[in-house]
Amino acid sequence: MPQFKHVNVPEGDRIEVKDGRPQVGDRPIIGLMRGDGIGLDITPVMKDVVGAAVEKAYGGKREIAWCPIYVGLEGLQRYGTEFPDEALEAIRYVKVAIKGPFTTPIGEETHVCLHCAHQQNHPAPCDNCGKEDGVTERFRSINVRLRQALDLFACVRPVRYFQGVPAPNKYAEKVNFVIFRENTEDVYAGYDFEKGSEVATAVIDLIKEKTGRQIRPDSGIGIKPISVTGTKRLVRSAIRWAIQNNLPSVTLVHKGNIMKFTEGSFCKWGYEVAVEEFREHFVTEKELWSEHNGTMPEGKILIKDRIADSIFQQIQTRPAEYSVLAVPNLNGDYLSDAAIALVGGLGLGPGANIGEECAIFEATHGTAPKYTGQDKVNPGSLLLSSVMMLDHIGWKEASALIVRGIERAIRDGHVTYDLERLMKAEGRQDVTKVSCSGFGKAVIERMD
Ligand code: NAD
């Protein structure tokens, strides 16, 4: 085991990864990054709920050995940096971790408060909590750096409806799919060059020389790389997910009608990896009609493709036809947010960033500094991320208990302020507002 300065690895079983699957003992060591701001409130609730579910499911035979890892404001406090090398090394060691939200600098806000995660454009005191100490200078996005450093290439976002949550879509009850968004390529790869810069000018000149076509000289230039490697590993994990969870289809989403060699190739290479590695598991839409008369053969997955703009319509009008969607980075970003809005907003959306070796499960909302430490916010996103984490390590009995507890707590109207407001606005009278920890208790009480 590496020697750590601040990370105390507890007694337990280190997770190993073989053929893309975690090998897990009865006491797996799992990394825990509390997060900034309301991470303080939601992370202990998640730990309690997971502890209760594991205890109920396995009667003391299994237990999670949590390994606190210090990133963000906790990292600053201990190491003097928000992104310590030791934290990365610890995540690489434990392989699976879960995290709350982290402060990311926005716009002109140059200072952040270590106590409540509030951002402001001047040193102490903090405008939000008034603390005189611990206001420090800004830093770069922890989330992006974690993804890059650990090569977490798949951003996985399950989207489903919970009975009782006010949702704008008529077919919200039929929404139950998982989006696999590619995390490292496309226009997000970071090749973005300012108008008039050396690189932008050189690219414009090169294209003129090689193709005879003139890009306006006063253009900024962005590059959209989409590779065989990046595409195949993303689609491979999407198909594996469908197989492991007995899901009926995988849809390759692309804009290949316009961008043939990037988006179009994403679709082509996606089918290729399906044929090369999973041929016995699926039929294509073409084969469904040419060989099976439109009836899905037992135990097979349907692999299909859709143009990106049509999928934004389809998830609204025919959501039941989709179960796993594999999408390049930019459209995956838009689609994830659009999809979660169908079922009532970001409050309950979980997420994970997964690579070949490591997986980090996360709350998808931010640090909401104005609510820090008030035991007020909705812990649903982190709770559902813990469900994904338990599924990832194969502890499905425990994850099912948490899902059941959440479903019933919402059904019974025991919800935090955000859902209470929406449910009351829809005319529901029997709603009880509970705190963040109160929601955790309501979930635990309703697991059986
Ligand atoms: P935010 O999600 O923190 O808050 C926006 C509003 O949403 C809050 O004021 C609150 O009303 C509501 N909200 C958020 N989470 C909630 C919860 N669990 N329960 C109930 N209500 C909730 O977004 P923001 O204000 O734009 O960002 C604040 C900070 O968080 C910034 O530093 C931002 O960069 C960061 N951020 C981090 C992540 C992440 O770590 N994954 C994601 C988004 C934003």
Side-chain angles (χ1 to χ4, degrees):
M1 192 201 305
Q3 286 304 305
F4 294 120
K5 191 166 160 214
H6 292 295
V7 174
N8 285 316
V9 179
E11 289 283 311
D13 305 317
R14 186 181 174 210
I15 293 175
E16 305 277 355
V17 177
K18 282 206 186 104
D19 301 325
R21 302 207 66 173
Q23 312 294 308
V24 180
D26 283 340
R27 201 166 189 276
I29 302 168
I30 291 193
L32 181 69
M33 290 171 272
R34 186 194 72 188
D36 305 330
I38 54 168
L40 202 78
D41 304 79
I42 59 177
T43 308
V45 173
M46 182 277 295
K47 272 180 74 184
D48 287 350
V49 171
V50 169
V54 169
E55 170 64 30
K56 248 186 228 308
Y58 310 114
K61 220 182 132 277
R62 288 177 169 176
E63 191 187 3
I64 285 177
W66 296 107
C67 175
I69 296 174
Y70 308 109
V71 183
L73 302 186
E74 285 195 310
L76 266 173
Q77 285 154 347
R78 283 176 179 75
Y79 303 88
T81 165
E82 74 282 1
F83 197 67
D85 290 344
E86 178 166 301
L88 273 183
E89 208 179 332
I91 299 168
R92 285 198 185 97
Y93 181 76
V94 298
K95 303 272 192 306
V96 176
I98 186 162
K99 72 174 188 63
F102 286 113
T103 302
T104 309
I106 5 182
E108 296 303 305
E109 312 299 338
T110 50
H111 289 73
V112 61
C113 172
L114 291 181
H115 300 284
C116 71
H118 173 72
Q119 293 185 43
Q120 59 193 32
N121 61 6
H122 59 84
C126 169
D127 289 345
N128 184 49
C129 69
K131 295 265 168 49
E132 292 284 345
D133 62 326
V135 173
T136 187
E137 289 224 41
R138 66 182 291 175
F139 43 73
R140 287 205 298 131
S141 164
I142 304 279
N143 295 318
V144 172
R145 288 158 79 184
L146 278 173
R147 262 178 238 160
Q148 287 174 347
L150 299 167
D151 199 17
L152 306 174
F153 59 82
C155 174
V156 185
R157 291 283 170 88
V159 186
R160 61 153 286 187
Y161 178 69
F162 282 87
Q163 199 71 42
V165 174
N169 189 275
K170 192 171 153 192
Y171 304 116
E173 291 186 23
K174 297 194 168 126
V175 173
N176 193 358
F177 50 75
V178 183
I179 297 173
F180 274 69
R181 166 189 166 195
E182 205 287 325
N183 236 350
T184 64
E185 304 199 315
D186 201 347
V187 288
Y188 284 37
Y191 303 105
D192 201 40
F193 302 103
E194 195 178 356
K195 159 192 84 92
S197 64
E198 198 184 335
V199 177
T201 308
V203 170
I204 291 170
D205 291 347
L206 181 73
I207 287 175
K208 174 85 199 291
E209 186 194 320
K210 298 288 179 192
T211 70
R213 290 162 67 195
Q214 177 70 60
I215 295 175
R216 286 189 195 103
D218 58 351
S219 302
I221 296 286
I223 308 273
K224 178 185 173 74
I226 290 192
S227 68
V228 176
T229 310
T231 300
K232 287 194 173 175
R233 64 184 186 174
L234 188 268
V235 175
R236 182 181 297 119
S237 16
I239 297 176
R240 269 196 195 136
W241 183 285
I243 294 170
Q244 283 161 12
N245 295 287
N246 292 321
L247 297 173
S249 71
V250 174
T251 306
L252 306 169
V253 179
H254 64 98
K255 190 70 186 156
N257 53 337
I258 305 295
M259 291 164 275
K260 195 163 174 236
F261 300 113
T262 49
E263 298 271 335
S265 298
F266 176 87
C267 181
K268 177 171 156 251
W269 298 326
Y271 278 114
E272 270 178 25
V273 74
V275 169
E276 287 157 5
E277 298 178 28
F278 304 99
R279 186 58 270 200
E280 72 280 17
H281 291 284
F282 75 92
V283 294
T284 62
E285 234 169 5
K286 203 166 153 208
E287 291 163 354
L288 176 65
W289 292 100
S290 62
E291 295 169 24
H292 303 281
N293 215 12
T295 308
M296 267 307 281
E298 187 89 8
K300 300 276 182 185
I301 294 166
L302 180 65
I303 300 208
K304 50 191 173 181
D305 62 277
R306 293 288 180 272
I307 297 289
D309 34 57
S310 95
I311 201 73
F312 279 88
Q313 296 183 356
Q314 298 261 310
I315 59 166
Q316 296 191 57
T317 54
R318 306 159 79 147
E321 293 179 19
Y322 298 95
S323 50
V324 178
L325 300 151
V327 198
N329 206 340
L330 176 63
N331 278 320
D333 189 5
Y334 299 155
L335 194 64
S336 305
D337 275 16
I340 205 78
L342 290 179
V343 292
L346 282 169
L348 284 170
N353 290 296
I354 299 180
E356 305 281 5
E357 283 282 305
C358 297
I360 299 183
F361 299 83
E362 62 177 5
T364 53
H365 53 74
T367 56
K370 70 180 175 197
Y371 295 130
T372 300
Q374 295 178 24
D375 192 20
K376 178 179 169 111
V377 294
N378 186 347
S381 174
L382 193 61
L383 287 181
L384 286 168
S385 300
S386 76
V387 166
M388 293 178 76
M389 181 196 78
L390 291 168
D391 284 343
H392 181 76
I393 62 168
W395 290 13
K396 295 195 182 242
E397 299 79 6
S399 70
L401 288 176
I402 300 179
V403 171
R404 192 184 308 162
I406 294 175
E407 283 172 347
R408 290 175 174 178
I410 296 173
R411 180 202 63 191
D412 294 350
H414 286 254
V415 291
T416 44
Y417 80 97
D418 50 325
L419 285 182
E420 180 221 27
R421 201 172 45 204
L422 293 172
M423 287 159 88
K424 282 198 167 150
E426 290 254 305
R428 197 169 152 181
Q429 302 301 323
D430 61 334
V431 184
T432 312
K433 181 164 80 175
V434 294
S435 62
C436 181
S437 56
F439 185 74
K441 287 197 188 91
V443 171
I444 293 170
E445 281 162 13
R446 288 166 177 77
M447 282 178 180
D448 288 324

